[in-house]
Amino acid sequence: MTSKRVCVYCASSDASDEKFLLAGRQLGEGLARLNITVVYGGAQCGVMGAVADGALSAQGKVIGWIPTFMKTEILHPGLTEVHEVESMHIRKHGMMTNSDALIALPGGPGTIEELMEAITWRRLKLIDVPIFIINLDGYYDPLLELFENMRKARFIIEDTDMTDLQINTKLPLRRNRPGTKAAEWCHWPEETSENMDSLYHIQQYIQQSIRRNPSDIDFILQAPDQQDEGVWKYEHLRQFCLELNDLTVLLQKECLPETCSQMTATEQWIFLCAAHKNPKECPAIDYTRHTLDGAASLLNSNKYFPSRISIKETSIAKLGSVCRRIYRIFSHAYYHHRTLYDEFEDRTHLCRRFTVFALRYGLIPKDNLIVPINGVNQDVTTIMQQQTSPVKSVPVQSLKDNDSPPSPVIPSTAAIESDA
Ligand SMILES: [Zn+2]
Ligand SMILES: [Zn+2]
């Protein structure tokens, strides 16, 4: 079996700080010890030279890609294999497409260019290999902040676009458990939260827990030690919105404006869509989309949520109203599209997770959680079972006290709720 190849992006300047040279050498050595071939830009100087020296000192293989015009000046003399090419473009392309993973150490404009090209190609699905950014001593923090701005400005539309970037302060080699085989090295190892280090680390941690077992709600909602509670709630809510988009995609096949012309759950409530200047009755599917769009723009807003590291008390108060609005998507699906809801819920356990989440953090009063979840809001289930006769048609009235509506499971009067 041929060994895995890992491409290392780094600088050739000899003037850089000693710690970067040391990191390069350690990385080269570590890769060689895992029987991984180093692919890089072929130079003998700077961090590039250190990576090659490290790998060669541990009897590793090193492949250099170098353009002819640089060759006489900087080519490392001890490489296992040299690809002499015409241009910088061919060099970058060769390195990127002949590697099983890409690692960026701290570096200058050339390194950033290579990294950005790799990220772009990956987003375009031209390559499909993991990309690691070694954020040594916070070197890449400003870049991560720029990614965050890109996301806020919606140049990066899906949250998932960037989350599989693996950003570490430590060299990724140390993240492998003892005995990790080279063949498994590129896989994303499960990591405890404190070992993940990026602006996305809480989101990554949550997504990792969900992937592990979507039905293990307690595990997914169990905050790591010393986790800021506001951030924890915020990141979970973002994740709920993401996953509710999947439910929406399913709903749009059968939740049509003709059949569901209003947003209702049980018959007592007609929910007004708060996405409009004057809240109005949108068909259920429109309400669903407008509400998720509204939630996304609030949660991404620079004004209320400028940081994903700490969250202002006043902004935390907004989370409750987002929760109440998006919960209506579950309740509409449950009461009007039951087969679809059951299929989705069996697979994702999303409504169960949301219900436990909303109760645990007091985001929605228990009586308003009207989708019965076994063992969670059991007494609501009981009430629902007792409610045998259909609700009588009564005049609709609007509700003034937006934040504490009476329990909709006790038939009283039909009401329009608007909490714009
Ligand atoms: Zn519907
Ligand atoms: Zn609307």
XYZ file of all heavy atoms in Angstrom, residues 1-6 25-38 54-61 100-101 103 132 171-187 189:
384
model
N 0.842 -1.201 0.000
C 0.000 0.000 0.000
C 0.873 1.245 0.000
O 1.825 1.338 0.760
C -0.870 -0.027 1.262
C -1.981 0.980 1.258
S -2.747 1.099 2.900
C -2.024 2.615 3.492
N 0.563 2.188 -0.885
C 1.342 3.428 -0.861
C 0.936 4.248 0.357
O -0.206 4.212 0.785
C 1.101 4.268 -2.130
O -0.300 4.441 -2.274
C 1.661 3.591 -3.356
N 1.895 4.992 0.881
C 1.578 5.751 2.088
C 0.762 6.990 1.733
O 0.743 7.448 0.595
C 2.867 6.150 2.803
O 3.549 7.126 2.050
N 0.064 7.505 2.739
C -0.706 8.740 2.563
C 0.242 9.902 2.311
O 1.368 9.917 2.795
C -1.513 9.024 3.827
C -2.614 8.018 4.071
C -3.895 8.471 3.426
C -5.006 7.458 3.688
N -6.154 7.701 2.816
N -0.265 10.869 1.579
C 0.531 12.075 1.329
C -0.165 13.272 1.944
O -1.369 13.454 1.753
C 0.649 12.320 -0.175
C 1.410 11.234 -0.874
C 1.341 11.455 -2.366
N 2.181 10.469 -3.033
C 2.575 10.572 -4.292
N 2.214 11.615 -5.012
N 3.327 9.642 -4.835
N 0.593 14.058 2.645
C 0.034 15.269 3.232
C 0.815 16.474 2.747
O 2.046 16.507 2.816
C 0.053 15.194 4.776
C -0.234 16.557 5.370
C -0.979 14.192 5.263
N 9.501 21.649 11.900
C 10.335 20.464 12.069
C 9.555 19.336 12.762
O 9.586 18.181 12.335
C 11.584 20.833 12.888
C 12.596 19.747 12.868
C 13.911 20.069 13.530
N 14.664 18.832 13.575
C 15.531 18.449 12.641
N 15.805 19.240 11.627
N 16.142 17.278 12.723
N 8.820 19.724 13.809
C 8.017 18.720 14.537
C 6.958 18.099 13.637
O 6.700 16.899 13.690
C 7.313 19.372 15.728
C 8.224 19.595 16.912
C 7.494 20.306 18.051
O 6.360 20.746 17.896
N 8.158 20.420 19.182
N 6.347 18.943 12.829
C 5.305 18.433 11.935
C 5.901 17.432 10.944
O 5.367 16.335 10.752
C 4.628 19.594 11.191
C 3.525 19.185 10.212
C 2.370 18.500 10.934
C 2.994 20.403 9.451
N 7.033 17.813 10.329
C 7.685 16.921 9.367
C 8.039 15.586 10.005
O 7.752 14.510 9.461
N 8.631 15.670 11.186
C 9.026 14.463 11.909
C 7.828 13.588 12.240
O 7.840 12.369 12.042
C 9.667 14.889 13.240
C 11.127 14.580 13.376
C 11.620 15.045 14.748
O 11.282 14.413 15.764
O 12.305 16.080 14.763
N 6.790 14.241 12.758
C 5.583 13.509 13.167
C 4.933 12.804 11.990
O 4.502 11.650 12.098
N 4.868 13.479 10.855
C 4.272 12.859 9.663
C 5.087 11.643 9.250
O 4.538 10.581 8.955
C 4.204 13.882 8.515
C 3.193 15.024 8.700
C 3.394 16.103 7.633
C 1.758 14.505 8.646
N 6.410 11.799 9.254
C 7.278 10.688 8.854
C 7.077 9.494 9.780
O 7.007 8.351 9.335
C 8.738 11.141 8.871
N 6.943 9.751 11.058
C 6.752 8.652 12.023
C 5.456 7.898 11.768
O 5.333 6.734 12.108
C 6.735 9.209 13.455
C 8.047 9.798 13.875
C 8.561 9.201 15.184
N 9.988 9.467 15.313
C 10.480 10.622 15.767
N 9.655 11.571 16.163
N 11.784 10.810 15.829
N 4.466 8.606 11.209
C 3.199 7.940 10.873
C 3.248 7.337 9.470
O 2.224 6.945 8.916
C 2.040 8.940 10.961
C 1.616 9.371 12.364
C 0.701 10.584 12.296
C 0.914 8.234 13.089
N 4.458 7.301 8.902
C 4.633 6.776 7.551
C 3.828 7.578 6.527
O 3.271 7.028 5.581
C 4.272 5.285 7.491
C 4.707 4.651 6.175
O 5.691 5.099 5.573
N 3.977 3.648 5.717
N 3.736 8.876 6.761
C 3.034 9.762 5.830
C 4.077 10.551 5.040
O 5.032 11.081 5.612
C 2.102 10.720 6.602
C 0.922 9.930 7.181
C 1.607 11.843 5.693
C 0.094 10.716 8.160
N 3.895 10.582 3.728
C 4.811 11.319 2.868
C 4.475 12.808 2.894
O 3.308 13.184 2.789
C 4.704 10.791 1.421
O 5.067 9.410 1.422
C 5.614 11.560 0.478
N 5.502 13.626 3.045
C 5.298 15.075 3.030
C 5.362 15.584 1.591
O 6.279 15.247 0.842
C 6.380 15.792 3.876
C 6.304 17.308 3.687
C 6.240 15.424 5.351
N 12.825 17.813 9.087
C 12.208 17.011 10.147
C 11.796 15.646 9.623
O 12.074 14.610 10.231
N 11.144 15.639 8.463
C 10.664 14.370 7.898
C 11.839 13.478 7.501
O 11.851 12.281 7.795
C 9.769 14.647 6.689
N 12.845 14.073 6.858
C 13.990 13.275 6.396
C 14.769 12.705 7.581
O 15.260 11.575 7.531
C 14.901 14.133 5.504
C 14.266 14.556 4.162
C 15.098 15.632 3.477
C 14.065 13.352 3.231
N 14.825 13.489 8.675
C 15.568 13.021 9.849
C 14.894 11.806 10.478
O 15.518 11.040 11.197
C 15.699 14.141 10.889
O 14.449 14.331 11.540
N 13.601 11.644 10.220
C 12.894 10.469 10.744
C 12.680 9.431 9.640
O 11.731 8.653 9.676
C 11.558 10.903 11.358
N 13.560 9.454 8.658
C 13.523 8.493 7.537
C 12.214 8.548 6.746
O 11.758 7.541 6.200
C 13.768 7.040 8.021
C 15.232 6.694 8.284
C 15.726 7.323 9.583
O 15.118 7.151 10.625
N 16.818 8.064 9.493
N 11.605 9.744 6.712
C 10.370 9.884 5.945
C 10.636 10.225 4.491
O 11.766 10.528 4.101
N 9.566 10.151 3.693
C 9.671 10.542 2.279
C 9.168 11.974 2.123
O 8.171 12.362 2.737
C 8.809 9.618 1.415
C 9.257 8.174 1.431
C 8.553 7.421 0.284
C 8.821 5.933 0.385
N 7.760 5.219 1.133
N -3.484 13.769 0.234
C -4.680 13.246 0.903
C -5.187 14.181 1.997
O -6.260 13.956 2.565
C -4.366 11.881 1.527
C -3.915 10.887 0.469
O -4.722 10.574 -0.415
O -2.741 10.456 0.506
N -4.389 15.180 2.338
C -4.815 16.183 3.319
C -3.922 17.399 3.134
O -2.822 17.292 2.579
C -4.681 15.653 4.744
N -2.292 20.871 5.088
C -2.058 21.518 6.382
C -1.416 22.878 6.140
O -0.420 22.969 5.423
C -1.098 20.683 7.257
C -1.703 19.308 7.574
C -0.760 21.423 8.547
C -0.806 18.431 8.437
N -6.321 21.416 7.288
C -6.009 21.776 8.671
C -5.331 23.143 8.695
O -4.457 23.417 7.876
C -5.041 20.768 9.295
C -5.603 19.385 9.455
C -5.584 18.489 8.401
C -6.139 18.975 10.664
C -6.093 17.209 8.542
C -6.649 17.692 10.819
C -6.628 16.810 9.757
N -0.332 20.888 16.798
C -0.149 20.138 15.570
C -1.157 18.991 15.575
O -1.365 18.358 16.594
C 1.280 19.592 15.505
C 2.351 20.681 15.521
C 3.729 20.058 15.445
C 2.161 21.656 14.372
N -1.802 18.727 14.442
C -2.870 17.736 14.434
C -2.393 16.341 14.814
O -3.166 15.529 15.275
C -3.379 17.761 12.992
C -2.311 18.423 12.200
C -1.590 19.329 13.126
N -1.111 16.089 14.661
C -0.598 14.756 14.979
C -0.889 14.373 16.411
O -1.191 13.248 16.722
C 0.920 14.737 14.785
C 1.346 15.136 13.392
C 2.846 15.264 13.334
C 0.842 14.115 12.401
N -0.803 15.346 17.281
C -0.989 15.042 18.699
C -2.429 14.694 19.005
O -2.739 14.229 20.078
C -0.592 16.258 19.537
C 0.878 16.554 19.427
C 1.282 17.486 20.537
N 2.494 18.186 20.160
C 2.728 19.443 20.465
N 1.846 20.127 21.153
N 3.839 20.006 20.106
N -3.319 14.986 18.072
C -4.715 14.701 18.343
C -5.027 13.234 18.111
O -6.076 12.762 18.481
C -5.610 15.555 17.448
C -5.384 17.023 17.665
C -6.185 17.826 16.703
N -7.602 17.556 16.869
C -8.526 18.054 16.081
N -8.191 18.812 15.083
N -9.781 17.791 16.286
N -4.121 12.542 17.451
C -4.395 11.139 17.201
C -4.138 10.309 18.447
O -3.170 10.519 19.162
C -3.533 10.635 16.051
C -4.027 11.175 14.729
O -5.012 10.694 14.211
N -3.379 12.202 14.221
N -5.038 9.388 18.687
C -4.862 8.495 19.821
C -3.621 7.641 19.567
O -3.274 7.388 18.413
C -6.083 7.579 19.960
C -7.395 8.308 20.056
C -7.595 8.964 21.415
N -8.834 9.723 21.434
C -8.927 11.001 21.096
N -7.864 11.658 20.707
N -10.079 11.621 21.154
N -2.989 7.172 20.633
C -1.840 6.285 20.414
C -2.273 5.106 19.549
O -3.364 4.578 19.717
C -1.495 5.810 21.832
C -2.086 6.826 22.746
C -3.279 7.390 22.041
N -1.438 4.745 18.611
C -1.752 3.587 17.778
C -2.612 3.905 16.566
O -2.994 3.008 15.833
N -2.926 5.181 16.348
C -3.702 5.541 15.158
C -2.951 5.120 13.903
O -1.779 5.410 13.754
C -3.922 7.064 15.107
O -4.598 7.448 16.280
C -4.747 7.450 13.894
N -3.636 4.420 13.027
C -2.980 3.993 11.800
C -2.964 5.143 10.804
O -3.858 5.980 10.805
C -3.735 2.811 11.196
C -3.665 1.577 12.059
C -4.286 0.396 11.325
C -4.285 -0.837 12.198
N -5.173 -0.685 13.368
N -1.938 5.141 9.969
C -1.815 6.216 8.986
C -3.070 6.319 8.129
O -3.522 7.397 7.785
C -0.597 5.974 8.109
N -3.658 5.162 7.814
C -4.833 5.166 6.942
C -6.004 5.905 7.577
O -6.875 6.423 6.889
C -5.245 3.734 6.622
N -6.022 5.951 8.908
C -7.148 6.590 9.593
C -6.834 8.018 9.985
O -7.657 8.719 10.556
C -7.489 5.799 10.877
C -8.122 4.464 10.568
C -7.970 3.491 11.720
O -7.577 3.919 12.819
O -8.237 2.304 11.491
N -5.636 8.436 9.660
C -5.165 9.686 10.211
C -5.991 10.887 9.771
O -6.199 11.813 10.521
C -3.698 9.888 9.831
C -3.157 11.119 10.429
C -2.772 11.304 11.714
C -2.989 12.367 9.783
N -2.363 12.584 11.912
C -2.483 13.256 10.749
C -3.219 12.818 8.480
C -2.201 14.584 10.444
C -2.930 14.137 8.188
C -2.428 15.004 9.160
N -6.461 10.846 8.540
C -7.169 12.014 8.019
C -8.589 12.135 8.540
O -9.265 13.111 8.282
C -7.195 11.986 6.495
S -5.558 12.237 5.821
N -9.051 11.135 9.250
C -10.424 11.219 9.752
C -10.489 12.196 10.910
O -9.552 12.352 11.657
C -10.911 9.837 10.180
C -11.112 8.947 8.995
N -12.153 8.086 8.878
C -10.397 8.821 7.853
C -12.076 7.452 7.720
N -11.014 7.881 7.087
N -10.958 13.144 14.241
C -11.068 12.412 15.494
C -12.055 13.094 16.427
O -12.156 14.318 16.421
C -9.652 12.468 16.073
C -8.987 13.615 15.396
C -9.753 13.954 14.152
